Amino acid sequence: MTNKFKNGRRVFIRDQFIDRQNAVPLYAQLKEIIKTNIDRNIWTAGDLIPTEMSLIQTYVVSRTTVRQALSELVSEGILYKIQGRGTFVAEPKLEPIRPKLTGFKEDMEDEGHVVDSLILKEGWETVKGKEWNPFSLNEGKKVYRLNRLRRVNGVVIGIHRTILNMNLYPEINLEKHNFEAESLYETLRKYNIPLGEAHESVEASTASLEHANDLNVEPDTLVLKLQRFTKLQDGRLFEAADMIYRADKYKYKTILHC
């Protein structure tokens, strides 16, 4: 029977067992037991889970089995370790559901979070010959750049780097807007810009030194990288963006309709 320590008290919880007749590896079974305890709020965010020795004795498994299970849970952002103190339950990852084209601010506020941004770079910049040019603009033309750190409940979650082909709407002045507080997509809709379909890709990556500093993580920490290309309803490319999120804080989820 495992133990839970909270507010200085030891709390005993329900029995859970390793099934040695099961083809599933022992470490994977132990992972599921720990995740089940978290899903059922037996252990909640910030709780210290039982020690390695306690898990070894409770489930009669090897130290290697316990360490592999814990290591994978830490990599997945479900647990975190503090040197000399033990292993703790992490805060649940932010998990927006993406059935349509929405902005980060809308997604997070729909889930009840407080969202703000820090502007890293904003304004017009000139297209140069060797730089990334998804709009196929001639050299010397300009695009509108908006780079932001995105924060949820005061914690930096990701970096958004966006370029817009505002040459298509020269009458619109985005510089008068405060995108530390305003949603970019909501602003574009207010100007009746006819946004069409967006193509988005997701991949695992690691944080560069620059990104690690911005995200307050160690270099080479796992991150989630999204790239998005948004067209107007007439098919012209209007937005190109890449978004880098802390993998321990953010999870991507979508709905597929049949």
Side-chain angles (χ1 to χ4, degrees):
M1 183 172 289
T2 52
N3 301 325
K4 177 181 177 184
F5 295 91
K6 195 166 185 179
N7 299 325
R9 297 183 296 108
R10 174 177 292 175
V11 181
F12 294 97
I13 63 175
R14 70 192 68 190
D15 290 312
Q16 293 171 302
F17 300 98
I18 297 288
D19 181 1
R20 284 170 170 74
Q21 304 303 314
N22 195 322
V24 176
L26 300 184
Y27 81 88
Q29 292 188 52
L30 181 57
K31 273 183 65 178
E32 286 306 309
I33 289 172
I34 294 171
K35 288 169 69 175
T36 296
N37 286 336
I38 295 170
D39 290 341
R40 294 176 179 173
N41 291 320
I42 294 169
W43 300 331
T44 58
D47 280 353
L48 175 67
I49 72 165
T51 63
E52 287 186 6
M53 184 55 65
S54 178
L55 292 171
I56 289 169
Q57 294 173 347
T58 299
Y59 298 108
V60 194
V61 291
S62 69
R63 185 178 297 274
T64 300
T65 295
V66 170
R67 287 185 172 176
Q68 185 171 358
L70 296 181
S71 176
E72 292 196 5
L73 289 168
V74 169
S75 295
E76 293 169 13
I78 295 171
L79 301 176
Y80 66 94
K81 290 187 175 182
I82 298 178
Q83 189 68 33
R85 292 186 57 193
T87 305
F88 297 80
V89 179
E91 292 284 346
K93 294 183 181 182
L94 299 169
E95 188 177 6
I97 300 176
R98 311 301 301 279
K100 61 179 181 178
L101 180 61
T102 54
F104 182 81
K105 188 172 188 292
E106 298 165 87
D107 291 339
M108 294 295 101
E109 288 183 343
D110 283 347
E111 295 189 350
H113 300 293
V114 177
V115 182
D116 67 347
S117 300
L118 297 176
I119 302 295
L120 299 176
K121 189 175 184 180
E122 182 180 10
W124 290 93
E125 61 181 43
T126 302
V127 173
K128 298 179 181 178
K130 295 183 179 180
E131 292 184 349
W132 185 52
N133 182 8
F135 305 119
S136 300
L137 296 172
N138 293 329
E139 187 170 1
K141 288 285 188 178
K142 292 187 176 182
V143 295
Y144 195 84
R145 163 75 65 179
L146 180 61
N147 293 356
R148 293 168 290 175
L149 283 183
R150 312 310 299 268
R151 300 193 304 187
V152 178
N153 304 325
V155 177
V156 174
I157 299 299
I159 305 166
H160 285 194
R161 301 182 299 187
T162 304
I163 54 175
L164 302 171
N165 187 4
M166 293 305 297
N167 300 288
L168 302 176
Y169 297 95
E171 72 281 6
I172 296 176
N173 178 17
L174 291 182
E175 292 177 304
K176 70 180 183 180
H177 292 275
N178 175 17
F179 290 115
E180 289 194 343
E182 297 179 55
S183 163
L184 175 61
Y185 280 172
E186 287 180 351
T187 299
L188 296 176
R189 292 188 179 102
K190 287 177 182 177
Y191 286 110
N192 296 315
I193 293 178
L195 297 178
E197 67 181 19
H199 293 201
E200 194 165 84
S201 62
V202 186
E203 63 180 329
S205 187
T206 55
S208 66
L209 179 59
E210 176 188 358
H211 295 156
N213 287 336
D214 287 336
L215 295 172
N216 298 322
V217 298
E218 294 295 323
D220 295 325
T221 297
L222 287 175
V223 294
L224 193 63
K225 183 177 181 180
L226 281 69
Q227 191 169 63
R228 178 188 294 167
F229 296 94
T230 306
K231 298 179 181 180
L232 300 176
Q233 291 177 9
D234 63 10
R236 290 178 295 174
L237 183 62
F238 177 68
E239 177 203 31
D242 61 68
M243 298 154 275
I244 300 170
Y245 295 106
R246 288 180 53 170
D248 63 331
K249 297 290 186 182
Y250 188 89
K251 181 163 60 174
Y252 188 90
K253 189 173 183 179
T254 189
I255 295 176
L256 302 177
H257 294 283
C258 296

